[in-house]
Amino acid sequence: QQQVKQSPQSLIVQKGGISIINCAYENTAFDYFPWYQQFPGKGPALLIAIRPDVSEKKEGRFTISFNKSAKQFSLHIMDSQPGDSATYFCAAMSRGGGTGFQKLVFGTGTRLLVSP
Amino acid sequence: EAGVAQSPRYKIIEKRQSVAFWCNPISGHATLYWYQQILGQGPKLLIQFQNNGVVDDSQLPKDRFSAERLKGVDSTLKIQPAKLEDSAVYLCASSPPRAGGKNEQYFGPGTRLTVT
């Protein structure tokens, strides 16, 4: 099943709070899980990524938590700032069919608004 | 380094007309992708090129969409004839040869297509 489910659809967090976005997948062939950040009028940009051999990855205020057995992963944004207001997409990548080339499947996105 | 360039940024056409989008990837990136992003959804892969060869076009509506990547650099995506449901942002992305397990795709700003 080439699908990644993402929630919530939208999120409002106060400045300084923690933003949490969750994703779930079915395909056990996925072996790379990136998060992308997209500002209005811009293309998505890679924020942070994790492989299934680790349970957590932290980069600055951004942390990915990964639960392989539950096939779930989440993005935590600590000390959320108004500049973090954007749409966040989780994604999953697997080697595509017999070609061996990677194929990126995106979640539906979460619109985050951090209020001042 | 210069990012992925796309043009035009915006296009409005009537249904049944044709339209073409252009993409110039980051220099040295062998892999090029075209995605369709419908409002409120995550990007969906339409076609993936490795140099000038197609490696995945399973989600490209081939009765109306076509894409080419001549000389393994620039690419064009064409829609003929356009339908109302083709209204979306068309994103181009590129990625370097996979080295050290890095899978990052770099996205352009997209072309917003409105079909009336």
Side-chain angles (χ1 to χ4, degrees):
Chain A
Q1 182 74 320
Q2 295 287 338
Q3 197 173 16
V4 179
K5 296 181 180 179
Q6 183 172 348
S7 64
Q9 189 174 19
S10 62
L11 182 62
I12 300 175
V13 174
Q14 284 195 331
K15 179 182 176 181
I18 303 173
S19 304
I20 302 174
I21 305 171
N22 301 298
C23 285
Y25 65 96
E26 290 293 327
N27 189 348
T28 56
F30 289 141
D31 61 359
Y32 177 71
F33 300 88
W35 284 88
Y36 281 80
Q37 180 188 56
Q38 186 175 30
F39 293 104
K42 305 289 187 182
L46 180 66
L47 189 62
I48 186 173
I50 196 168
R51 293 198 174 277
D53 53 346
V54 296
S55 59
E56 185 174 283
K57 183 174 182 180
K58 184 176 180 179
E59 289 184 1
R61 297 184 293 108
F62 301 91
T63 300
I64 300 178
S65 297
F66 189 86
N67 186 329
K68 188 175 181 179
S69 60
K71 292 186 281 189
Q72 295 175 346
F73 58 111
S74 60
L75 175 70
H76 295 236
I77 306 174
M78 311 300 288
D79 187 26
S80 298
Q81 299 297 312
D84 297 331
S85 298
T87 299
Y88 293 81
F89 293 95
C90 62
M93 180 179 279
S94 64
R95 292 200 171 270
T99 65
F101 289 101
Q102 297 91 5
K103 184 171 184 173
L104 198 58
V105 178
F106 283 84
T108 51
T110 296
R111 181 172 290 185
L112 172 65
L113 176 64
V114 181
S115 58
Chain B
E1 64 182 359
V4 176
Q6 289 189 249
S7 67
R9 291 297 312 277
Y10 306 92
K11 190 73 176 180
I12 301 174
I13 62 172
E14 294 182 351
K15 59 183 179 183
R16 291 187 289 274
Q17 286 187 323
S18 62
V19 64
F21 312 126
W22 174 82
C23 173
N24 180 235
I26 294 172
S27 177
H29 283 196
T31 310
L32 184 147
Y33 314 80
W34 282 102
Y35 288 87
Q36 180 191 58
Q37 185 175 21
I38 293 173
L39 185 64
Q41 298 183 20
K44 182 185 81 171
L45 180 68
L46 292 176
I47 189 167
Q48 178 179 340
F49 292 92
Q50 179 73 12
N51 296 310
N52 61 347
V54 175
V55 296
D56 188 346
D57 63 357
S58 57
Q59 298 191 95
L60 187 74
K62 298 180 187 63
D63 58 334
R64 298 184 301 106
F65 286 64
S66 64
E68 61 181 8
R69 190 183 184 195
L70 299 177
K71 301 180 181 178
V73 181
D74 293 5
S75 177
T76 56
L77 176 69
K78 296 179 182 178
I79 308 175
Q80 183 179 11
K83 292 185 176 181
L84 295 176
E85 58 261 36
D86 298 331
S87 294
V89 174
Y90 291 85
L91 295 163
C92 179
S94 67
S95 61
R98 190 175 183 211
K102 191 172 175 63
N103 296 286
E104 183 168 0
Q105 295 184 19
Y106 297 79
F107 284 83
T111 297
R112 181 176 296 276
L113 173 68
T114 302
V115 182
T116 62

